[in-house]
Structure formats: C-alpha cells, structure tokens
Amino acid sequence: MLTPPKAHEEAHELSIHGHTRIDPYFWMRNRDSQEVLDYLHAENAYTKASMAHKAELQEALYEEMKGRLVPDDSSVPVRMGAYFYYSRYEKGLDYPKYCRKKGSLEAEEEIFLDVNELAKGQTFTQVRGLSLSPDHQMLAFGLDQVGRRIYTLKFKDLTTGEILQEEIKDTIGNYAWAEDNQHLFYARQDQQTLRPHEIYRHKLGEHPEKDRLIFEEKDDTFNCYVAKSKSKKYLFIISAATLSTEVRFLPADQPQGDWQIFLPREEKHEYEIAHQGDHFYILTNYQATNFRVMRSPIGPSDKAQWEEVVPHRADVLLESMSLFEEYMVLEERQKGLSHIHIWHLPSGMEQMVPFDDEVYLAYVDQNPAFATQILRYGYQSMTRPDSTFELHLQTGERVLLKQQEIKGGFEPENYRSQRLWATAEDGTEIPISLVHHKDTPLNGTAPLLEYAYGSYGISLDPSFSAQRLSLLDRGFIFVIAHIRGGAEMGRHWYEDGKFLKKKNTFTDFIAVGEYLVREGITQSDRLFCMGGSAGGMLVGTVINMRPDLYHGAIAAVPFVDVVTTMLDEDIPLTTGEYDEWGNPNDPVYYEYMLSYSPYDNVVAQDYPHLLVTSGYHDSQVQYWEPTKWVAKLRKVKTGDHRLLLETDMESGHGGASGRFGRYKEAALQYAFLIDLVEELGVD
C-alpha cells in the first residue's frame, strides 16, 4: 500500500492585530535546503507511484496531444518595413525559429533567431521581448533559462549573425528602441520582489555599467515598463498599479531628451495613450466605469483639454485601443462576448466586424503598420480553431489568411457549444460557456469539468483548445464559468469580485456547479473543477466551502496561502496586489482574507480527490504555497480520497518551456480525471 509523504511540523508564530496564528509548515520556505528538496521529491515520487497504473494512458494522451500539432507549422507572415516576419517549427524540434524574407514571400529565408540553438543543454528556455531596431539590423531579446521570468537582455547583429558579448541581466523582457538605432530603453526589476521598478537607457557598444537610469518607480504598489507608439513617433514609460496609471512620453528621435508626464497619477484613474497626428488619444476610466476614449493635443495634459471621441456606455466595456493613421480600432466586450469596433477618424464613420457563433473569441492581431487600410484580426470559438483574417477597412472585404490546422481527424462539426446562465445566490445571472462532443448527452450521465479564473478583471474567453479535445472525445463536458472577479460583463463584474466582495467569486462558481447538477446536465459524483494561479485559490476556497459538490479537483500553481503571502512585502507581487485583495495590515482586510484563504480554512472533512501542480522556480506563486497546503490537507482531512502534489523542479509559473512540455502536465491532469471517472464505471 502506498504511503504518502509526511511533513514534520514546527510551531512558527505569525502575530498581527492581536491575533497569533501558528504555521507548522513555514519551514518549507527554505528554498534550497535539503529537507525541502527531499520532501518535494518524495511528493513527486508518491504522485508517480499513485498514477503508475495510468502511465500508459498518460503517454497515450501526451502523444495524442502532440499528434494534433502540425509538425512544421508556421505563423502568418507580417510585413514590417522591407521584410516579412514569421516564426516556424520544424518536425521534432521543441522551439521556434524566427525568420524573415526581404521584399517578398518568394525571397530567400533568413533565420534570424533559432531558439533551439539557445536551448541546447538547458532544461528550460524562454525567449521574450523580441525587438528590432528601426533599421532592422539589430535584434534585442530577453532570455530566461531558469523559469523565474528574470531575463538577460541580449543583442544579435543581423548583418553578421553574431550575438554580441554585451548583455544586461535582471530585465523583465520589455524593450523599446529609439529611432536612432543606437539607444534602447529597458525595464529592470528589483532582485528581491521582482517588481519592475527602473527604466534605463542603453547605447549599443557601451558597457552596461554606463547605462543611465532614466526613471525609478519608488511607489512599491506600482510597476513600470516601456512602450513605443504605433506611429513610431513617441516612446512611453508607463507606471501602473492595479487601479492607477501614469504615462511619460518622449519623441522617439530624441533619446537623450527630457521625458514629460502626460497626466500625473491619481487614485483610481487608469488610462493609456496612443499617438495619431497632432493628438494623443486616451483610453480612460475617468468618470467612465467601462472606459471611454478622449483626445488631447500633444504635450503634458490636463482633463480640461480633453475632447470626447467615444462616450462611456454602461453595457459595453472598452478593453483596448489600436490607433492607425486614419482609423481607431477598439476591442470591446458586451454580455460576455468580444467585439471589434472600427472608426474612420476623418469621417467619423463606424463599423463592427460581424461574428455569427453563439460563443466565440475575436481579437485584434498583429498590425505593426501605422499607415494601412488593412486590419488583421483573429477569431475562434470552442468548436472552431483559431483563424487569422484580414479586413479591408474601406471595402469591408474579409480574407481568411489561415486557420489553425488540427491533425488527428478533427472535424468541428463533431462538437457543440452553447451559452447558459446560472443564478447566483444574490440573484446575479452568471454566464456559462459549454462545449461537448455531439455524441455526449447532456442528461446527467456524462462527467463535466468546470473551469474558471475570476480575478484581476481578466476575462476568460470561450476559445478553442486542441488539448481539450482529449477530454471531449472521451465523453467529458467542459464548462467555463464566467464568474465575478473577471470583467466579462463589464468593469462592475470585476469590482463586484474583489476586495471585500471577493467571496462573490467563490459563491458564483458554486452556483454554476449547482446549476449544472440541478438542470440534469451532470451529477455531483461526476462533477470536477479546475483553476490555476488565482483560479487555483478559487478551487481551494470552493472545496473548503462545498467539498460535497465536486468529485475531484485540480489546482494548478494555486495561490492558497493568501494571508501569509500578502503580509510579506519581500516576496514578488505582494505590494502590487493590495489593490486586488486589500492590505492585510488593515484589520478589516486581514479578517476578510483570513475568512477565505484556502490554507487557513482547511478543516477535518472529506475533500474531493485533489491533484495540485506547482513550479519550483515560480515567481508568481511561490512553490511553498501549494506544498504547505497539501501538507496541511494530509494532516487534517478525513476520508481516503486521493491527494497528489506534482512539482516541476525545472520550471516556473507557466510550466515547462517548449512546444511540447506543457502537454506532459496536461496528460497527468487528464489521466487523473479519466481514472476517477473509470472508477465510477461511467461509460
């Protein structure tokens, strides 16, 4: 009989607001101690042994998921200057090759960065922030070979093919070139908290020690980064907290000039700016909960100078703005669905891109050209793979450039999707996106996986997943619960699922699960739930509140030790998260967080079968949170349901790197679910 690992306990006191909490597993924070490493390896060994009887299924799932990929797939080329840029994979290789052709698509291919070469001998490799100099002769890129999202800035001379010796460590993978092809601005992060807090200017050929600090963000609730306008005329430094923004600007052809503040930061005022002609356009939530678009003459601004371009609408959330020489394109959200809204600025004429599916995702794709009559956008649904279109903005003509090819006999007609609505305990209607194989009945006999996120105002879209087909083809129903804490129904949806209203997120998710059972779509003994990161916290809280509702659960890199983490300002993310969860140094927020924090609310009860995944190098959710949670559950929970922890010792928050690595974890997760269903005898 398999025996799960047992963690020793140490009485570590955590005192605040007159309360003392004992954390018996606080010692697990000792990252490189042999005891911690031994414990993590023991948990991994236990998980492997517990799932050994499904090893063949895991391998079959992995090969099945890989088999749906086109071995030598490539992206749709994008015109930038004189070149067409694209990336492609070669059969059997795990990483992309970044390529370009000069003048036409028939020209000779130039591979200007082969990530497979960079990854040789490495267990993890990630490239981020590819940025070309304006003359297209120098490439800047960030390289992370640990998984902690700390990038070394490297330069490659595209005329010689040489990667230069000069490199800059501890960047965030965020870069912007000045128009002189010599100066590059980059963001750097604090070594302890990993908060992006400094902007530097680097000159090619000079030692990084000579780089000038241009801006330091001293407010520890803000991050900062750099950007460049689509017009190429301006550089921006953006300081951003969850609820506040401040933008500085500089002409891109004056890299040694003085940066100016566009509009000083104000509490609860979020904005972004873009350049067109003689104006900056502002996407702002000033007196506009769901945002509106204003414009102002170029230069430091005050709101008295602003002219309204697109008014606020109570039922439409403005999510992003793309500005071209003659057009403005807004990505909007209404009733949980995305829309693309286009304005012709000289005439004021408007058009909406039409979409037909009941549930879908549409988004503005790569559009680097400023002076253009063509808009590239993407479209997909839960039953149809991602498609790339070009829309002629004058004629309205649409051209399909590419639809993602799915190998393995996939036919979209074999799947069905629909929108449902559940009623929360306070009467709020919660949208649900559901997909299943056409042969899977919705009569209560089929297993169902309920998925959600529900934080930071991030909306979960009803997108396509080739990986998910491995569940759908085995008779699973898959559901996305669009719960409060996201922004699917507008900015109020986010506001009603944070701070002292955070519990709406959890009760909404439970309401969706109860609805699915009550309506006879599934049964509680075959209902499963899953979430990752803040969605993993959701799972942890929900199974504390309603362990009887779900037969099994998966929590990926879960943020479960909410109070302890939010009290520790020395670890990544904490101070910037106060605008999301609240500051526990305030006793009101402390008590509220404590009332739902999964780790703090583990009790002696029968929990669903549970699989927890983690990344040892995770910079977002430290590995010890899920590790402590599992140890406490092992000690306290009743019953004999499975409790498994799998820690990837080579990766971080995003899981394994490479094209295929993520499918190993997915194969374990799916095998875990399928095994539980088979035990029930469900066909």
Side-chain angles (χ1 to χ4, degrees):
M1 182 176 178
L2 291 174
T3 303
K6 185 176 181 179
H8 86 268
E9 299 181 32
E10 293 180 5
H12 183 91
E13 292 189 1
L14 302 168
S15 298
I16 189 172
H17 304 311
H19 298 278
T20 298
R21 294 159 51 235
I22 304 297
D23 186 351
Y25 305 111
F26 194 83
W27 61 269
M28 291 182 172
R29 296 161 60 101
N30 299 322
R31 177 181 295 276
D32 296 321
S33 73
Q34 193 59 50
E35 185 176 21
V36 168
L37 293 172
D38 288 345
Y39 180 77
L40 294 174
H41 287 303
E43 285 284 6
N44 283 352
Y46 176 70
T47 295
K48 184 176 181 179
S50 298
M51 293 298 297
H53 64 294
K54 289 298 178 185
E56 290 186 8
L57 174 62
Q58 287 185 61
E59 185 61 26
L61 286 165
Y62 174 67
E63 292 298 331
E64 187 177 288
M65 294 175 196
K66 283 177 55 180
R68 295 194 185 98
L69 300 176
V70 176
D72 53 355
D73 201 9
S74 63
S75 65
V76 180
V78 175
R79 180 72 179 260
M80 295 173 61
Y83 293 89
F84 290 89
Y85 287 88
Y86 58 98
S87 62
R88 63 177 179 83
Y89 288 94
E90 288 185 2
K91 185 176 181 179
L93 296 182
D94 216 2
Y95 296 92
K97 296 184 176 185
Y98 292 96
C99 311
R100 67 181 183 180
K101 294 181 179 181
K102 189 172 184 178
S104 76
L105 293 174
E106 285 68 46
E108 183 178 355
E109 179 183 81
E110 173 191 350
I111 301 173
F112 65 89
L113 188 67
D114 185 348
V115 184
N116 299 281
E117 292 296 319
L118 298 173
K120 285 183 176 178
Q122 303 293 327
T123 57
F124 182 97
T125 296
Q126 186 176 67
V127 167
R128 182 182 181 186
L130 275 72
S131 184
L132 290 152
S133 61
D135 63 5
H136 296 254
Q137 299 307 300
M138 189 68 67
L139 174 72
F141 65 96
L143 180 65
D144 173 17
Q145 295 191 306
V146 175
R148 199 149 171 81
R149 297 182 179 177
I150 303 174
Y151 296 86
T152 297
L153 168 57
K154 291 181 171 289
F155 297 93
K156 183 172 183 179
D157 187 331
L158 300 187
T159 61
T160 66
E162 175 190 7
I163 293 181
L164 307 185
Q165 290 298 308
E166 61 185 281
E167 63 179 31
I168 303 168
K169 297 186 181 300
D170 304 325
T171 76
I172 68 168
N174 167 232
Y175 319 116
W177 287 91
E179 284 296 291
D180 66 352
N181 300 298
Q182 290 296 309
H183 290 92
L184 180 85
F185 294 87
Y186 62 91
R188 210 165 192 173
Q189 53 199 340
D190 178 87
Q191 280 293 285
Q192 181 69 31
T193 66
L194 305 186
R195 180 177 70 92
H197 70 126
E198 294 176 333
I199 304 296
Y200 285 85
R201 184 183 67 217
H202 175 74
K203 185 176 181 181
L204 284 176
E206 290 190 352
H207 195 282
E209 289 181 355
K210 295 184 178 180
D211 290 359
R212 182 180 173 187
L213 176 63
I214 298 299
F215 172 72
E216 181 180 5
E217 179 51 73
K218 296 182 179 180
D219 187 331
D220 63 7
T221 66
F222 279 73
N223 298 328
C224 63
Y225 55 98
V226 291
K228 194 173 187 178
S229 66
K230 191 183 293 291
S231 68
K232 311 301 182 189
K233 298 293 185 181
Y234 288 92
L235 295 162
F236 301 123
I237 293 175
I238 299 98
S239 289
T242 304
L243 299 175
S244 180
T245 318
E246 181 177 76
V247 179
R248 288 165 168 78
F249 66 94
L250 177 74
D253 60 358
Q254 301 174 30
Q256 300 186 65
D258 295 326
W259 291 79
Q260 299 182 79
I261 296 177
F262 173 73
L263 185 74
R265 67 189 67 181
E266 298 174 300
E267 187 177 354
K268 297 184 179 180
H269 182 208
E270 302 166 57
Y271 72 90
E272 64 179 69
I273 65 174
H275 168 250
Q276 194 259 14
D278 297 327
H279 293 88
F280 284 136
Y281 281 67
I282 310 113
L283 182 63
T284 171
N285 70 342
Y286 175 66
Q287 296 182 346
T289 301
N290 279 337
F291 291 80
R292 56 177 170 164
V293 178
M294 314 292 281
R295 72 175 185 175
S296 175
I298 290 173
S301 183
D302 62 68
K303 300 189 202 73
Q305 296 175 285
W306 290 5
E307 172 191 358
E308 188 170 75
V309 180
V310 180
H312 175 260
R313 287 164 288 171
D315 62 340
V316 177
L317 174 66
L318 303 187
E319 293 191 309
S320 72
M321 171 179 63
S322 299
L323 207 58
F324 299 87
E325 188 175 60
E326 293 186 22
Y327 294 90
M328 176 176 63
V329 180
L330 295 178
E331 291 182 85
E332 303 178 346
R333 188 173 297 275
Q334 185 175 28
K335 294 183 179 179
L337 294 176
S338 50
H339 301 274
I340 298 176
H341 197 166
I342 302 164
W343 273 262
H344 182 239
L345 294 172
S347 68
M349 296 293 291
E350 304 175 36
Q351 60 176 306
M352 300 287 292
V353 181
F355 305 115
D356 299 324
D357 288 300
E358 185 177 355
V359 288
Y360 64 87
L361 164 63
Y363 59 93
V364 175
D365 207 336
Q366 294 185 73
N367 291 275
F370 183 63
T372 182
Q373 298 290 327
I374 302 294
L375 176 73
R376 183 172 291 186
Y377 70 91
Y379 178 82
Q380 57 184 284
S381 73
M382 299 181 85
T383 62
R384 295 191 177 274
D386 193 27
S387 301
T388 302
F389 289 88
E390 278 190 348
L391 173 68
H392 195 287
L393 295 170
Q394 282 188 324
T395 66
E397 179 186 3
R398 288 193 292 174
V399 177
L400 175 63
L401 300 180
K402 179 181 178 179
Q403 184 174 76
Q404 177 188 4
E405 184 180 355
I406 308 298
K407 297 289 190 180
F410 168 76
E411 295 291 342
E413 293 74 18
N414 288 334
Y415 304 88
R416 303 283 185 267
S417 66
Q418 59 181 294
R419 169 59 54 86
L420 302 171
W421 298 83
T423 303
E425 61 180 21
D426 63 359
T428 302
E429 294 295 304
I430 311 299
I432 302 168
S433 296
L434 180 149
V435 64
H436 63 104
H437 193 281
K438 67 177 184 180
D439 295 334
T440 300
L442 304 182
N443 62 2
T445 61
L448 187 149
L449 177 60
E450 180 186 352
Y451 185 85
Y453 186 72
S455 292
Y456 303 104
I458 295 174
S459 299
L460 277 189
D461 287 295
S463 56
F464 183 81
S465 169
Q467 171 183 303
R468 188 194 300 146
L469 297 174
S470 291
L471 281 184
L472 301 184
D473 289 349
R474 288 173 172 82
F476 273 77
I477 304 164
F478 181 83
V479 154
I480 299 173
H482 301 287
I483 55 182
R484 282 174 285 186
E488 286 91 336
M489 300 295 285
R491 180 63 180 234
H492 76 281
W493 208 245
Y494 172 44
E495 301 291 345
D496 286 346
K498 62 182 297 191
F499 285 150
L500 301 178
K501 297 181 179 180
K502 187 62 200 173
K503 290 182 182 179
N504 284 336
T505 299
F506 316 130
T507 55
D508 284 0
F509 190 85
I510 290 169
V512 170
E514 291 174 335
Y515 167 85
L516 295 167
V517 172
R518 185 173 60 252
E519 293 298 310
I521 295 171
T522 190
Q523 298 175 41
S524 188
D525 67 355
R526 57 206 67 189
L527 176 61
F528 303 88
C529 62
M530 180 176 178
S533 194
M537 178 197 67
L538 164 71
V539 168
T541 304
V542 163
I543 64 174
N544 278 337
M545 295 171 67
R546 285 295 309 278
D548 58 307
L549 183 58
Y550 298 92
H551 186 63
I554 298 174
V557 291
F559 173 42
V560 285
D561 192 12
V562 180
V563 177
T564 307
T565 291
M566 293 302 297
L567 283 169
D568 189 345
E569 297 181 4
D570 292 330
I571 62 176
L573 294 185
T574 295
T575 55
E577 301 280 282
Y578 289 161
D579 285 336
E580 179 70 25
W581 316 101
N583 185 342
N585 292 295
D586 179 333
V588 174
Y589 284 104
Y590 172 83
E591 294 290 348
Y592 191 74
M593 287 183 202
L594 193 62
S595 72
Y596 67 75
S597 172
Y599 181 67
D600 292 290
N601 288 280
V602 170
V603 296
Q605 62 183 357
D606 290 356
Y607 281 88
H609 297 280
L610 179 62
L611 170 64
V612 182
T613 64
S614 176
Y616 182 63
H617 298 291
D618 196 330
S619 60
Q620 312 300 109
V621 176
Q622 306 302 311
Y623 73 88
W624 60 73
E625 289 201 39
T627 308
K628 289 168 55 178
W629 183 45
V630 167
K632 189 172 184 179
L633 280 164
R634 286 205 193 288
K635 175 70 180 296
V636 175
K637 81 179 187 73
T638 59
D640 58 359
H641 282 176
R642 298 181 208 176
L643 175 57
L644 305 178
L645 171 65
E646 172 75 10
T647 302
D648 188 332
M649 303 301 292
E650 307 293 344
S651 76
H653 198 64
S657 66
R659 193 183 189 194
F660 309 119
R662 67 181 183 274
Y663 295 130
K664 287 287 187 183
E665 182 175 313
L668 170 64
Q669 294 169 346
Y670 287 8
F672 175 77
L673 295 173
I674 293 166
D675 190 28
L676 293 176
V677 170
E678 289 177 348
E679 285 183 350
L680 294 171
V682 177
D683 293 332

